[in-house]
Each structure stands twice: as C-alpha cells, then as structure tokens.
Amino acid sequence: MPCIHFDILTKKDDFTFNEKIDPQASFNDKIEMKNIIFTYPEATEPTLNNINLTIEKGSIIGFMGVSGSGKTTLLKLILRLLNEQQGQFLVDNQSIDSISDWPYSVAYVQQEFHIIDGTLAENIAFGIEQDKINIKQLELAIKQANLTPLVNKLEHGYHGRVGEFGMKISGGERQRVAIARALYKNAQILILDEATSALDVQMEEDIMNMIYSLSSQKITMIIVSHRLSAMKGCEKIYEIDHGKIVNNYTYSTLSNKI
C-alpha cells in the first residue's frame, strides 16, 4: 500500500474519488470474515490464521496487538488490498474481492498526511475541481469535523490557503481535514490506523471525541491505536496475537485489566 493518509479505495498515490463507486449504494448490514487464512509469499506460517469476525453496520470496534501480530495485514484485507487464500469475505452477504468491487466509499486514515498547497476547500474535496465542489457538502463536512474555528481563522475562510504540506495549520487541524474528507465523500466505513498517535494526549482526545460523535450517522468505524485511551468509544476491542483473534474486551474491562 502506498504511504497515504486518507484514501477512498483508490489505486493512486493519494486521495481521489473512485468513479466506480455508486453514491446511492449503501452498506446495510454487516461485514463477515469466515475462516480467513492469509500467508505472504515465501512465508512459512500464516500471517492471519482462521480469522472469524463480524462487523455490524454502525458499530465501532478496535484492534490491539504488538507489532507483527497481524493488525496491518487484517486492515489491508478488509480494504481488499489483499485477498485471503482460504475463507470468505462478505459484505451484506456479497463477496468483495478487490478495492474496485466496493459499491460505496471507505475511508482509510493513517498517521502520515499529505496536504496540497491549495485552499482548505480543495484539501477537503480532494481530487475535485474547485468549480465542481459541492459547497453544501463542504460546509457540512467542515461543521461535523469541527473545522469552523480554522475557517474563521483563515483570511479567506475555506478558500484560504493552508500552505505547502499544511504548514499554516496545526497537526490537530490536519487530522480534522482528513476526517472532513471522509465526511465530504460520505464514507460509510472509516478505518483509523494509528491516525492520532503523533498528537499529544489532549489533542488526540479532542479528535477522537469528535470522531465518536459521528456514530449517530451510522458510520462503521475500525480503530487501531497503541494508546488504549483512543479506543474508549469502541464497543469491542479485539486482541490479535500471531495472526489470531485471541480475546475481545470492552474498553472498561480492558482499562481495568491494564
């Protein structure tokens, strides 16, 4: 996978909109992974071994595990950047074999984030020509991602430039831009892969509280973080070890255990 911060299931180096996605399509029920086994070429042992998992529409789940446990491979498999050698991957009882098979948008947010030297609007509606940006969708995404203070701060509002690599805005504001991109594209599944790990604890808490507030929109969220505090809104947190799901916890149970 290219080193990107946010993607709507594309094969380009950074965020664009996959034109095959049907904006009217909807994720209605669940993702199912049944007896999934995945082994990298020339590896002697499976990286994922007999994964069975159901992710309900609108649920918020987390994955935890040490480096090399299989978390990243599992995310790539969910994104359909990888395919299992054995087992089934189903969405609403339909097989999804590759990123181009997704009928709706899936947002993938990583720690690293490329911002173009353009306006805030261009960075949120990334890949869309400026005269074709839907202003109503843009303003709603700005409000939901709590970017209104940034808009008020920029000289020309959301037409204000954010600087090369986002030098004119803070780290927390850059992360909010990533979330605003997902909201602008009406992403129905949001995957956060250590997305806030470079932020300080207070800023991370503010961003995650904003993200969890989106649960009323029935956005399905999958969160990976080395900080347990970032997963406090998860309904279940799955522990992965040597490619297997070995436990699942509630946040309160796990925080008491640790």
Side-chain angles (χ1 to χ4, degrees), residues 31-34 36 55 74 77-80 83-84 86-91 93-97 102:
I31 297 170
E32 293 178 282
M33 304 174 74
K34 298 182 177 181
I36 294 289
I55 304 172
L74 182 56
L77 194 143
I78 292 173
L79 287 164
R80 305 318 281 156
N83 289 92
E84 60 279 353
Q86 296 181 46
Q88 290 181 293
F89 183 92
L90 304 172
V91 179
N93 297 313
Q94 300 294 316
S95 178
I96 302 291
D97 294 325
W102 287 96

Side-chain angles (χ1 to χ4, degrees), residues 117-132:
D117 185 11
T119 67
L120 178 62
E122 289 172 317
N123 275 284
I124 292 173
F126 200 91
I128 300 202
E129 295 177 17
Q130 187 160 337
D131 61 349
K132 295 181 180 178

Side-chain angles (χ1 to χ4, degrees), residues 173-186:
E173 288 166 340
R174 287 195 293 270
Q175 297 304 108
R176 292 179 188 276
V177 169
I179 303 304
R181 286 181 179 181
L183 297 170
Y184 181 86
K185 297 298 185 181
N186 193 31

Side-chain angles (χ1 to χ4, degrees), residues 59-96:
S59 63
I60 306 175
I61 69 167
F63 292 135
M64 60 175 290
V66 299
S67 179
S69 61
K71 302 189 303 298
T72 298
T73 300
L74 182 56
L75 293 182
K76 288 182 178 181
L77 194 143
I78 292 173
L79 287 164
R80 305 318 281 156
L81 293 167
L82 297 174
N83 289 92
E84 60 279 353
Q85 285 90 16
Q86 296 181 46
Q88 290 181 293
F89 183 92
L90 304 172
V91 179
D92 291 347
N93 297 313
Q94 300 294 316
S95 178
I96 302 291

Side-chain angles (χ1 to χ4, degrees), residues 11 15 24 30-31 36 42 73 80 85 102 112 122-123 151 163 188 191 195 211 219 224 232 243 246 251:
K11 299 176 183 177
F15 169 95
Q24 304 303 317
K30 59 188 175 182
I31 297 170
I36 294 289
E42 301 182 6
T73 300
R80 305 318 281 156
Q85 285 90 16
W102 287 96
E112 297 299 322
E122 289 172 317
N123 275 284
V151 172
Q188 298 185 43
I191 299 176
I211 289 170
I219 298 175
V224 172
K232 67 180 180 180
V246 294
Y251 173 77

